[in-house]
Amino acid sequence: MPGPISSFTPTESLSERRLADPSLPVPPRKKRVIVTGGSGKLGRWVVREMVDHGWEVFNVDVVPPAPSEASVKARYIYTDLKDYGSVLGLLTDVDSGWRGVDAIIHLAAIPAPARAPNHVVFHTNITQTYNILEAARVAGVKNIALASSETVFGIPLHPHPPESFPLTEEPERPESSYSLAKLLGEKMSEQFTRWDPELKIVNIRLSNVIAPEDYINFPKWQDDPWQRAWNGFCYIDPRDCAQGFRLALEKPLKGTHVFNIANADTAFTAPTAELVKRVFPNIPYKPDTSDPREGLISIKKARDVLGFDPKYDWQSEVKKLQAGKA
């Protein structure tokens, strides 16, 4: 009669080895990724993207996923990311769940300025980011993507215009406690990767996330570019944004990197040069591409380094929504 066996191995928790035919080969383990904030407006699409591309996904949030996500093969686990011990436990060993992860996509945050008092936004977001980076360092997780923000550029761009368009990754001018915390997340990344040359941390400066059903609002502001002047008329579809985060993990990089992620076009049918002339007449504009409607947040670096290729545009999505209502 066999003696007692351990409930855990260095790489497995108990449940990872149960209910398996011992005569069959052990199936290869998928790459594991933690997606914090995976129940949110962007997070649900990031979870889907990673599942669809062969990752084993753990959705870490304080809110369970919506009923619409019931068929998505990801595991939900409640975690308060402000508690460092919980984050460390999450990355290392969860009883009857898993032991160890390969990568982290950190989205969880108070998602914009003015959603809470300034100090609450700052302390919540910076604490969660620090806890993720420090727990990852202790647990040996070396592949991380963080959600930074277009607000680091100095949004609102009106009345705080930049020196030139399009906006590259260089500007750093936070105008809120939210954007300050995002910039400091980028700066923390620099130091964590200095401590460990094998570590990769990619900061994604994502544009304003627009849920697919909200494209129906875009035609309403076509005659008033001032409504979208605050971020240079830009937006990001969550499905394209999810592609950017996946590519950030899959690209074999080391060190700290910052990439803008936005859609290729603006939120208007008018040519970009006309919008700039009308709203930002004193700001130099040198187009990145030959597209007359290119966005004013440059995605050239993400295209060149990550292979980012946005697939969605608001005009096509509006047509789909209108056809669905016909």
Side-chain angles (χ1 to χ4, degrees):
M1 186 172 182
I5 62 171
S6 172
S7 294
F8 302 93
T9 77
T11 58
E12 296 174 312
S13 71
L14 176 61
S15 68
E16 292 179 82
R17 293 186 290 149
R18 69 186 179 191
L19 300 179
D21 185 341
S23 67
L24 297 177
V26 177
R29 181 171 77 78
K30 292 182 177 180
K31 295 174 293 182
R32 291 174 175 160
V33 61
I34 293 283
V35 179
T36 74
S39 299
K41 180 169 71 171
L42 170 60
R44 68 187 63 184
W45 294 103
V46 173
V47 168
R48 291 184 185 188
E49 175 82 5
M50 302 309 290
V51 169
D52 290 346
H53 285 82
W55 290 73
E56 184 178 4
V57 180
F58 303 99
N59 170 16
V60 173
D61 209 316
V62 294
V63 178
S68 62
E69 309 307 299
S71 64
V72 179
K73 296 186 181 301
R75 184 180 301 185
Y76 167 73
I77 182 167
Y78 173 92
T79 305
D80 179 1
L81 299 177
K82 299 189 299 298
D83 177 51
Y84 172 75
S86 295
V87 178
L88 184 59
L90 174 77
L91 299 186
T92 52
D93 191 317
V94 176
D95 286 352
S96 295
W98 68 88
R99 174 168 283 192
V101 298
D102 301 295
I104 302 166
I105 296 175
H106 177 46
L107 310 175
I110 295 175
R115 298 293 183 90
N118 293 351
H119 72 286
V120 175
V121 172
F122 181 85
H123 282 291
T124 298
N125 291 357
I126 201 69
T127 299
Q128 291 185 152
T129 300
Y130 172 78
N131 286 348
I132 284 288
L133 295 179
E134 175 63 7
R137 183 190 68 80
V138 173
V141 182
K142 298 183 183 294
N143 193 3
I144 304 170
L146 303 179
S148 187
S149 169
E150 65 182 4
T151 59
V152 170
F153 297 134
I155 285 174
L157 298 180
H158 187 83
H160 305 288
E163 293 183 0
S164 63
F165 287 119
L167 288 160
T168 63
E169 287 78 1
E170 283 71 30
E172 296 177 352
R173 198 174 69 177
E175 298 287 349
S176 65
S177 60
Y178 173 82
S179 55
L180 180 60
K182 290 297 186 182
L183 177 59
L184 292 179
E186 296 181 10
K187 297 305 179 183
M188 280 198 293
S189 300
E190 294 175 4
Q191 300 310 312
F192 273 87
T193 54
R194 180 178 63 82
W195 295 343
D196 181 359
E198 297 300 310
L199 175 62
K200 175 181 74 178
I201 305 176
V202 175
N203 286 268
I204 299 293
R205 286 191 185 173
L206 53 98
S207 188
N208 180 213
V209 178
I210 303 294
E213 63 270 18
D214 291 336
Y215 287 121
I216 200 67
N217 296 317
F218 277 46
K220 299 176 183 177
W221 57 57
Q222 292 305 305
D223 296 328
D224 186 8
W226 297 96
Q227 286 200 38
R228 301 289 300 182
W230 58 274
N231 78 334
F233 322 113
C234 293
Y235 71 102
I236 181 65
D237 187 288
R239 295 162 291 188
D240 285 325
C241 196
Q243 177 204 151
F245 276 100
R246 175 179 58 81
L247 293 171
L249 291 190
E250 294 181 345
K251 195 70 175 179
L253 303 171
K254 293 181 181 179
T256 300
H257 303 268
V258 178
F259 295 99
N260 295 340
I261 293 292
N263 277 84
D265 59 337
T266 72
F268 291 84
T269 57
T272 304
E274 291 184 13
L275 297 172
V276 173
K277 184 176 181 180
R278 181 174 176 184
V279 179
F280 301 103
N282 300 317
I283 307 303
Y285 169 48
K286 183 179 179 180
D288 264 351
T289 71
S290 60
D291 181 356
R293 294 181 51 252
E294 72 169 15
L296 289 180
I297 293 178
S298 173
I299 56 174
K300 184 178 186 303
K301 181 180 176 183
R303 279 174 157 159
D304 292 347
V305 178
L306 298 180
F308 176 62
D309 183 21
K311 305 295 185 184
Y312 298 89
D313 69 271
W314 70 267
Q315 293 184 87
S316 298
E317 295 302 305
V318 167
K319 290 178 182 178
K320 293 177 187 177
L321 291 169
Q322 292 173 337
K325 290 184 176 181

